[in-house]
Amino acid sequence: MRFSVPRLICLSYRLVSALCLITAAVLMWTLLKYSTKQNFTQTCHHSEQFQEGLHNLANRVHLVLSALGLSHFLCYGSLWGQLRLSRSLPWEPDVELCVLNEEVSLRDEVFLSRLFKKHSMQIDYDSTEGKYSITDQSLPGATVHLVVFEHDPMVNMLRRVGWKRRVLPPDCESLPSLNCFPPSLVKPPLPMREFGGFVMPVPREGIEIQKYHYPDNWWKEILPKNC
């Protein structure tokens, strides 16, 4: 059977269009599947043993930071846990502590690595996010994050560091990713509160800092979608 040139061109166009539609459909399905997985946590409640180990790890980090004279305090989801339960939220695999760049930058990273290794912990720094992650091989899946903030004199606020934020102007109101908050909320000495059977430093004025970090829903409890 012979086809004319125009008909061959038409068939080729239909074939290419069909392939493009199939590729687009597969791509959308993959993205939707990945997005759905990202919206759900792995578990609603970690075991009591895991939570005890996580709290113990957080306390060990707290003791090292205190020995170094580095200011630190519970923040983000871990502060919610302290405010509501006096411990980590049961679905959280990590503890978040905020630290100040002006203090941490005075410590050599090799020194910090050796010090935490001496206490059976490993510390790694993510320069993009401006965040340290501390782990212990004996407690798989548990992490203590040190989220680094620095003072911005232009707006007199503390803001997140990290390369992806360095290029942003100091516009705290228009750029929520900076996570700005007033330095008065972490003026020493910080209050000490119970956290999972230990005592940890927290910001001043209780929930006030969460109004800056969660401006859209600080007044209500947000549970994971599968809980």
Side-chain angles (χ1 to χ4, degrees), residues 71-224:
S71 302
H72 57 286
F73 46 93
L74 293 170
C75 54
Y76 295 109
S78 297
L79 182 58
W80 280 132
Q82 194 285 318
L83 289 167
R84 294 169 179 163
L85 306 171
S86 296
R87 59 184 297 146
S88 177
L89 295 172
W91 52 82
E92 293 288 357
D94 52 28
V95 167
E96 294 143 318
L97 294 169
C98 288
V99 296
L100 306 179
N101 192 45
E102 291 81 357
E103 298 178 358
V104 177
S105 61
L106 298 177
R107 304 290 179 174
D108 181 78
E109 288 195 16
V110 175
F111 169 75
L112 288 176
S113 178
R114 290 176 177 173
L115 180 61
F116 277 97
K117 185 176 181 180
K118 179 181 177 181
H119 290 83
S120 303
M121 293 178 281
Q122 179 177 332
I123 183 170
D124 298 290
Y125 183 63
D126 182 345
S127 59
T128 302
E129 289 292 337
K131 179 173 65 177
Y132 291 91
S133 296
I134 302 170
T135 55
D136 184 336
Q137 291 184 352
S138 66
L139 188 61
T143 308
V144 174
H145 295 295
L146 305 182
V147 186
V148 186
F149 282 78
E150 68 180 5
H151 182 256
D152 191 323
M154 293 186 63
V155 292
N156 191 29
M157 298 282 273
L158 288 169
R159 55 175 279 182
R160 283 280 300 271
V161 306
W163 286 116
K164 74 177 188 180
R165 298 179 181 86
R166 288 293 186 190
V167 297
L168 300 177
D171 189 347
C172 293
E173 293 186 5
S174 301
L175 299 170
S177 64
L178 295 178
N179 291 177
C180 300
F181 66 90
S184 60
L185 296 180
V186 293
K187 181 180 179 180
L190 292 174
M192 302 293 289
R193 298 288 184 269
E194 181 184 355
F195 185 71
F198 301 96
V199 178
M200 304 282 286
V202 299
R204 293 174 174 269
E205 301 183 34
I207 201 175
E208 189 64 24
I209 195 174
Q210 304 295 57
K211 297 178 182 179
Y212 292 90
H213 288 169
Y214 302 91
D216 298 326
N217 53 25
W218 62 267
W219 60 89
K220 59 182 179 180
E221 184 177 8
I222 306 296
L223 298 175

Side-chain angles (χ1 to χ4, degrees), residues 17-84:
S17 299
L19 289 174
C20 289
L21 287 173
I22 293 172
T23 302
V26 171
L27 181 60
M28 290 182 64
W29 178 82
T30 302
L31 291 174
L32 180 61
K33 182 179 179 182
Y34 176 78
S35 175
T36 302
K37 285 184 177 180
Q38 291 297 98
N39 287 336
F40 289 84
T41 53
Q42 292 294 322
T43 181
C44 255
H45 294 83
H46 290 285
S47 68
E48 188 67 27
Q49 181 180 4
F50 178 88
Q51 292 181 64
E52 289 179 0
L54 180 61
H55 291 134
N56 182 62
L57 178 62
N59 183 62
R60 289 161 57 198
V61 173
H62 159 64
L63 294 176
V64 171
L65 296 177
S66 297
L68 291 172
L70 298 179
S71 302
H72 57 286
F73 46 93
L74 293 170
C75 54
Y76 295 109
S78 297
L79 182 58
W80 280 132
Q82 194 285 318
L83 289 167
R84 294 169 179 163

